[in-house]
Amino acid sequence: MISGRVTKPDLASGGARGRKKVRIGDLLVQNRVISESQLQTALTAQKSSGHKLGQTLIELGYIKERQLLDFLSQQLQIPFVDIKSYQFNPEAVNLLPETMARRYRAIVLEQWERDVLVGMADPTDLFAFDELGRILKKRVRQAVVRESDLLAQLGRVYRGNDELSALAGELHEDLAQGDLDLDRIIETVDAGDAPVIRLLQNLFEDALHVKASDIHIEPEEQLLRIRQRIDGVLTEQVVNESRIAPALVQRLKLLANLDISEKRLPQDGRFQIKVGTHSVDVRLSTMPVQHGESLVMRLLDQSSGILSLDELGIRTDMLENLRRLTHRPHGLVLVTGPTGSGKTTTLYAALNELNSSEKKIITVEDPVEYRLPRINQVQIHEQIGLSFARVLRTALRQDPDILLVGEMRDLETAQIGLRAAITGHFVMSTLHTNSAVGTVSRLLDMGVPGYLVASSLLAIVAQRLVRCLCADCSEPVELSDQQKAWLERITRKGDGPNEFLQGRGCHRCGNTGYSGRIGVYELLELDESQSRALRTEDLEGFTRACLTSEQFRPLSEMALQYAREGVTSLDEVLRITGDSESSLDQ
């Protein structure tokens, strides 16, 4: 069995199969795997079902699927390849169009100068073998693969690539015609059949299918890169037609009501689209680059709704404390972390729980990401002077009970928010810091007086998102020397055994070893000793008081607990806790 990449020497024993007709039923009988009567019964059943003989034998229970695959591999002297964890070569896969791959139940695994290795669900299909040789124009070397795995992998490895390439090629041909006006294509009212529209539709449908959070469109001199951020990691597809980039960018700028004639300056906008049953809010950012305009779209699926606090994955004891804090009548709760760590999701989950007819809630955001009933949401617009500070001053005259400040970006905004927390309002906001402890240092660096922070700040939530291990392919892993050294430094007595899992990669997780993400949180609730250190702006004393607190557990410990439980890998723990660990050491 082969599960990794196949090198050419691995095929020396198998070689290219000849064109001799192989009757799998007769071979099975000759080798006493099945009886003659079982073969005849299967042949009769095959005529009525129309299925392949091998599938019919499996359905009748005369042979197991793996037993049949091993038999074919031995008899035909070809390898069996487990493609659940196979690392595919995109260039090789794309040699065979997806329609042909599905028709002949085949996929190209590797290519060399004169040969290709093709995985086939039925390597005895002589017609399919001949057609594959004709299409690929190389000598076909066979491998046998499990049909169910093959079908699952086809959807992943192609994932609309054929359609995207075809649409890109069609648009490129249209743009290549000298008498065609690009603006006419872009601005046509009835443009439902235009290739650029269908290409965009394909992009959005594919992004929603794989649950991508962002789409990147990056033009280069000879090609166009289209990348998607899935579970925090970018995946890439290259389109060789470079001239389609201006058409895509201009259409998207029109949707976002941006100036299509302005290509020298960055622009930001947003629009809403409906893809199937999904209503998607798209935040768009353009930036001039060497070969045109780079464009990034942040996708917010409004159809998925807003998560509750219970759905965030916060540990029970921490969740109870956070819920208690958010129901306080006044004070400030800060949610911190880098971009893309889920801060807004946490804030909206808390707002959703606090939202009632008895409370007046005002949010000041840039941008407003989710629309909530009964809540007064204000969109910041710096160009016309509608800043965080200005809106906050006005909001305080609107008799609010709860204020949400999208981000404390400057001293004026921070001071207004902190003073509001002192004067009878409950305030929530975010800061871009690496840890809960480091948040206080950031506020003091901005110029906020220590006594003001100590008087208003209730708690700080720091968070990250870690990728969850794929349940189908995770397996025990041997730790590296670096990982062992880190564990020795951080492990406490009674933490449990240092046994961890790692995803091998399979068709269900796109060969990444991960599927989905979960939040990791640390909650720092200020006590008297910490507040006393803040009043004198004693950062060393504050940090010492935090680290010696029995209630405070840093991000690294929470993430490590997930790794010990097999939820995530130790590599993910090291990835997301590096910054927070360094900030604690300072």
Side-chain angles (χ1 to χ4, degrees):
M1 182 188 77
I2 299 172
S3 59
R5 294 289 289 272
V6 177
T7 56
K8 196 169 183 180
D10 292 327
L11 302 175
S13 61
R17 184 172 61 84
R19 295 176 177 268
K20 183 179 178 181
K21 178 73 173 177
V22 176
R23 295 174 61 91
I24 185 63
D26 293 340
L27 283 175
L28 289 168
V29 172
Q30 290 171 13
N31 287 270
R32 299 182 180 180
V33 178
I34 62 174
S35 65
E36 181 65 35
S37 62
Q38 288 176 326
L39 174 60
Q40 295 306 318
T41 302
L43 290 172
T44 303
Q46 181 192 18
K47 291 178 182 178
S48 58
S49 68
H51 294 163
K52 299 253 183 201
L53 179 59
Q55 183 180 350
T56 304
L57 289 167
I58 294 170
E59 290 172 350
L60 291 172
Y62 294 155
I63 190 172
K64 294 185 181 299
E65 183 182 26
R66 182 55 193 269
Q67 184 184 3
L68 176 61
L69 295 174
D70 288 340
F71 177 79
L72 288 173
S73 174
Q74 181 181 1
Q75 291 295 316
L76 302 178
Q77 296 185 343
I78 60 176
F80 165 69
V81 177
D82 182 3
I83 58 175
K84 284 194 299 184
S85 55
Y86 193 80
Q87 301 298 316
F88 287 93
N89 180 344
E91 291 184 5
V93 169
N94 289 325
L95 291 175
L96 185 65
E98 184 179 2
T99 53
M100 297 295 104
R102 292 188 179 279
R103 177 181 299 175
Y104 300 123
R105 296 291 194 267
I107 188 168
V108 181
L109 302 174
E110 296 294 339
Q111 66 167 328
W112 299 281
E113 184 178 353
R114 297 180 182 177
D115 306 50
V116 287
L117 174 65
V118 179
M120 299 182 66
D122 181 8
T124 66
D125 188 336
L126 184 59
F127 176 75
F129 176 82
D130 290 339
E131 285 298 297
L132 290 170
R134 182 184 62 80
I135 296 168
L136 297 171
K137 296 181 173 57
K138 289 187 177 185
R139 183 170 57 173
V140 174
R141 296 181 179 271
Q142 291 177 293
V144 60
V145 299
R146 188 179 286 106
E147 184 172 10
S148 58
D149 292 342
L150 172 66
L151 294 175
Q153 288 285 37
L154 290 178
R156 183 188 69 80
V157 297
Y158 286 100
R159 219 180 67 202
N161 286 1
D162 276 359
E163 183 179 359
L164 181 61
S165 299
L167 290 171
E170 185 179 343
L171 178 57
H172 181 73
E173 290 177 6
D174 286 350
L175 295 175
Q177 298 176 14
D179 60 347
L180 191 63
D181 184 359
L182 177 61
D183 290 335
R184 182 174 61 81
I185 293 180
I186 301 301
E187 298 176 354
T188 300
V189 175
D190 185 17
D193 294 330
V196 65
I197 300 299
R198 286 184 281 126
L199 179 55
L200 285 174
Q201 183 180 11
N202 180 271
L203 279 177
F204 285 119
E205 287 177 350
D206 185 45
L208 285 178
H209 175 69
V210 297
K211 298 180 180 178
S213 61
D214 302 84
I215 300 175
H216 296 235
I217 297 176
E218 302 169 343
E220 297 186 11
E221 186 175 7
Q222 300 296 332
L223 52 85
L224 175 67
R225 294 187 192 277
I226 297 176
R227 302 202 279 177
Q228 297 175 333
R229 189 173 295 280
I230 305 169
D231 290 340
V233 179
L234 285 172
T235 61
E236 180 177 277
Q237 181 181 350
V238 176
V239 179
N240 289 323
E241 287 83 359
S242 60
R243 293 184 62 186
I244 70 172
L248 284 176
V249 172
Q250 287 198 44
R251 167 57 71 175
L252 288 165
K253 288 169 75 173
L254 281 171
L255 289 172
N257 293 317
L258 301 181
D259 184 358
I260 61 173
S261 65
E262 180 56 77
K263 300 179 176 64
R264 301 168 300 170
L265 296 173
Q267 297 186 69
D268 295 302
R270 68 188 303 166
F271 59 91
Q272 267 197 318
I273 57 169
K274 193 171 182 64
V275 182
T277 59
H278 295 266
S279 177
V280 183
D281 193 34
V282 182
R283 286 164 45 190
L284 180 146
S285 173
T286 71
M287 182 177 67
V289 292
Q290 187 175 9
H291 298 291
E293 291 178 274
S294 171
L295 187 148
V296 176
M297 292 178 284
R298 168 65 57 88
L299 308 181
L300 298 168
D301 188 354
Q302 302 285 347
S303 307
S304 60
I306 297 171
L307 296 178
S308 67
L309 285 174
D310 294 309
E311 295 173 313
L312 294 180
I314 304 176
R315 297 285 180 177
T316 303
D317 54 344
M318 187 184 297
L319 178 59
E320 291 175 356
N321 289 332
L322 180 59
R323 182 169 274 130
R324 173 177 50 82
L325 289 164
T326 57
H327 283 81
R328 293 278 291 270
H330 56 82
L332 171 67
V333 173
L334 287 173
V335 180
T336 71
T339 301
S341 59
K343 299 186 297 295
T344 302
T345 301
T346 300
L347 287 176
Y348 272 98
L351 273 189
N352 201 33
E353 186 168 297
L354 294 171
N355 191 5
S356 69
S357 59
E358 293 84 18
K359 291 184 173 68
K360 170 88 169 186
I361 303 177
I362 299 177
T363 73
V364 188
E365 305 172 71
D366 184 21
V368 175
E369 296 192 0
Y370 295 96
R371 279 75 172 176
L372 292 171
R374 200 187 290 114
I375 294 180
N376 297 269
Q377 298 174 269
V378 183
Q379 168 74 55
I380 292 304
H381 202 324
E382 296 280 359
Q383 290 84 349
I384 62 172
L386 198 62
S387 63
F388 273 107
R390 184 171 182 179
V391 175
L392 267 178
R393 282 192 293 267
T394 303
L396 289 172
R397 294 193 290 270
Q398 293 278 313
D399 188 28
D401 296 293
I402 298 170
L403 282 170
L404 184 148
V405 184
E407 182 184 349
M408 289 188 172
R409 296 178 178 174
D410 52 61
L411 174 60
E412 186 179 11
T413 303
Q415 286 186 325
I416 295 172
L418 289 164
R419 292 188 188 281
I422 296 175
T423 57
H425 305 88
F426 180 70
V427 182
M428 292 188 293
S429 188
T430 71
L431 270 179
H432 286 81
T433 59
N434 291 326
S435 68
V437 177
T439 300
V440 169
S441 175
R442 173 82 174 102
L443 287 171
L444 296 180
D445 287 343
M446 290 169 64
V448 180
Y451 72 86
L452 187 57
V453 178
S455 302
S456 58
L457 186 60
L458 297 175
I460 305 167
V461 178
Q463 65 181 78
R464 298 288 192 281
L465 293 176
V466 296
R467 293 182 292 172
C468 298
L469 286 170
C470 174
D472 291 325
C473 66
S474 56
E475 58 188 15
V477 63
E478 183 71 25
L479 300 184
S480 66
D481 291 339
Q482 178 188 2
Q483 291 172 330
K484 291 177 181 177
W486 184 82
L487 280 171
E488 287 177 5
R489 183 167 62 89
I490 196 173
T491 300
R492 298 179 181 179
K493 290 183 178 180
D495 275 350
N498 289 329
E499 297 175 0
F500 302 95
L501 302 178
Q502 182 74 46
R504 184 180 66 253
C506 65
H507 70 274
R508 292 185 182 276
C509 62
N511 279 331
T512 63
Y514 299 95
S515 179
R517 291 190 290 178
I518 191 170
V520 178
Y521 303 84
E522 68 180 15
L523 175 63
L524 175 61
E525 186 175 354
L526 267 66
D527 59 23
E528 182 55 37
S529 63
Q530 294 156 2
S531 296
R532 189 165 49 249
L534 280 179
R535 289 189 183 95
T536 59
E537 299 188 6
D538 178 9
L539 286 178
E540 289 187 7
F542 174 78
T543 302
R544 188 165 52 250
C546 293
L547 296 180
T548 56
S549 172
E550 293 182 0
Q551 295 182 344
F552 176 66
R553 295 188 63 191
L555 274 170
S556 55
E557 287 189 23
M558 302 300 291
L560 186 56
Q561 188 173 341
Y562 275 133
R564 285 197 168 99
E565 293 170 358
V567 176
T568 190
S569 68
L570 193 58
D571 284 340
E572 278 291 284
V573 176
L574 289 167
R575 181 182 68 82
I576 66 108
T577 60
D579 290 339
S580 62
E581 284 296 303
S582 61
S583 66
L584 285 173
D585 293 338
Q586 291 176 354

